[in-house]
């Protein structure tokens, strides 16, 4: 593994090895056992979108690993004034040990990797969110004990979260059902891949997708960059909500995950979110541990 550009580049063994290291680093963090595995290393963090979890967990994670992180807002970089990504990649490769980037186009992340000479980590694009799903997988395994015979239901927009969940969950052997309105389906190639294995269903019917689910997942109706479509999306996604009725269709003891930030009353009700807050905030915490494992694998 040279980069983390998308989960489709990882085998089941690659993912397991990240999750196992993440568990170990979590244990060491909780028990104040120092693990300076990236001493002297510097991570550049390029953001062209907002972030709470990704920014803080990468920065704190790098500190806990004995290295340091630089927050690089794209507005302040020459990148924001039109310097090409391929030049930025070659320059930053001479200063940094790795780059985490959150941006719009997946091709920009791929170009950083192509033209740079250091590990690149995708901190979210419109296409996918691999770091989030590694933390999600870690959380599912912690709560459920294993991935065996689990069904994951995702309710909402078929964009970055749905795409990465399809790849990550199916790679680990879980069945996936996506409930989304027509016109908001996940990436067609990923849908074909999942269906070819008999592991994926995509349906407009939320209750059907939730039937027998062990993990119920949702995400905002309007993602970053889609603020202008908020009203259109409120209409399109009305009914695509994780609520008590949906949870009654899921298996008893089903867990709920949300990448956050959450919009209560839209994609999830207050009561479901609060009833499953332990799982959802454990998931947020696990961003730290999972990303530390990714950084150690790529940069140590
Ligand atoms: N889930 C997630 O990526 O959160 P942030 O946007 O706060 O980084
Ligand atoms: N789909 C959301 C995920 C946020 C973590 C977005 O792209 O804004």
């Amino acid at each position: 593994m040279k980069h983390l550009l998308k989960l489709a580049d990882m085998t089941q063994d690659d993912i397991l090895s990240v999750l196992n290291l993440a568990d170990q680093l979590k244990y060491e963090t909780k028990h104040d056992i120092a693990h300076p595995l990236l001493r002297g290393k510097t991570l550049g963090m390029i953001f062209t979108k907002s972030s709470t979890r990704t920014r803080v967990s990468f920065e704190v994670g790098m500190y806990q690993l004995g290295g340091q992180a630089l927050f690089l807002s794209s507005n302040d970089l020459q990148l924001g004034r039109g310097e090409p990504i391929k030049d930025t990649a070659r320059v930053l490769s001479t200063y940094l040990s790795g780059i985490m980037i959150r941006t719009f186009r997946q091709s920009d992340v791929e170009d950083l990797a192509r033209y740079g000479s250091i590990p690149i980590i995708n901190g979210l694009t419109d296409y996918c969110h691999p770091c989030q799903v590694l933390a999600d997988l870690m959380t599912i395994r912690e709560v459920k004990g294993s991935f065996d015979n689990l069904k994951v239901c995702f309710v909402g927009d078929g964009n970055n979260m749905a795409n990465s969940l399809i790849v990550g969950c199916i790679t680990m052997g879980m069945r996936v059902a996506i409930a989304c309105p027509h016109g908001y389906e996940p990436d067609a190639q990923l849908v074909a891949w999942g269906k070819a294995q008999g592991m994926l269903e995509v349906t407009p019917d939320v209750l059907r997708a939730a039937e027998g689910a062990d993990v119920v997942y949702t995400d905002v109706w309007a993602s970053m960059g889609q603020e202008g479509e908020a009203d259109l999306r409120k209409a399109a996604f009305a009914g695509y909500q994780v609520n008590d009725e949906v949870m009654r269709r899921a298996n008893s003891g089903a867990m709920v995950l949300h990448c956050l930030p959450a919009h209560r009353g839209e994609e999830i009700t207050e009561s479901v979110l609060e009833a499953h807050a332990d799982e959802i905030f454990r998931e947020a915490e696990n961003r730290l541990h999972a990303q530390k494992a990714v950084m150690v694998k790529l940069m140590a």
Side-chain angles (χ1 to χ4, degrees), residues 50-252:
S50 307
S51 172
T52 296
R53 281 144 287 270
T54 306
R55 179 188 172 172
V56 178
S57 57
F58 267 106
E59 189 159 340
V60 170
M62 202 55 196
Y63 174 77
Q64 292 177 352
L65 288 164
Q68 63 168 338
L70 296 180
F71 174 70
L72 305 168
S73 163
S74 64
N75 290 333
D76 304 331
L77 294 174
Q78 296 289 7
L79 193 60
R81 295 180 55 248
E83 184 169 17
I85 219 108
K86 60 183 181 180
D87 294 354
T88 305
R90 286 177 283 189
V91 171
L92 292 182
S93 291
T94 67
Y95 308 140
L96 300 167
S97 326
I99 296 174
M100 191 284 303
I101 177 166
R102 163 168 289 194
T103 191
F104 294 87
R105 287 194 301 260
Q106 179 71 14
S107 60
D108 284 347
V109 179
E110 311 261 349
D111 281 348
L112 260 190
R114 182 168 309 125
Y115 292 100
S117 53
I118 54 175
I120 305 300
I121 300 172
N122 182 340
L124 180 147
T125 58
D126 292 344
Y127 174 67
C128 67
H129 197 359
C131 291
Q132 178 68 53
V133 169
L134 289 171
D136 300 339
L137 293 170
M138 178 181 180
T139 310
I140 292 170
R141 192 169 71 160
E142 277 181 351
V143 173
K144 295 288 180 191
S146 83
F147 299 120
D148 296 345
N149 298 315
L150 296 183
K151 174 180 172 181
V152 178
C153 161
F154 175 87
V155 177
D157 191 10
N159 71 341
N160 45 19
M161 281 314 314
N163 287 338
S164 285
L165 282 168
I166 288 171
V167 177
C169 294
I170 292 178
T171 300
M172 301 321 286
M174 294 181 279
R175 286 171 296 129
V176 177
I178 307 282
C180 59
H182 287 302
Y184 294 92
E185 286 84 4
D187 178 76
Q189 269 184 309
L190 295 180
V191 170
W193 174 82
K195 285 188 173 171
Q197 299 176 75
M199 298 293 270
L200 176 66
E201 179 180 13
V202 179
T203 169
D205 184 340
V206 178
L207 295 180
R208 181 187 161 103
E211 192 75 50
D214 304 286
V215 181
V216 179
Y217 202 116
T218 190
D219 180 19
V220 292
W221 292 343
S223 287
M224 290 181 278
Q226 300 172 336
E227 290 78 7
E229 296 175 26
D231 288 340
L232 177 88
R233 285 171 167 273
K234 266 187 191 151
F237 285 91
Y240 287 84
Q241 182 187 64
V242 174
N243 52 31
D244 292 332
E245 187 189 6
V246 170
M247 293 311 296
R248 277 194 294 275
R249 285 296 182 102
N251 279 343
S252 67

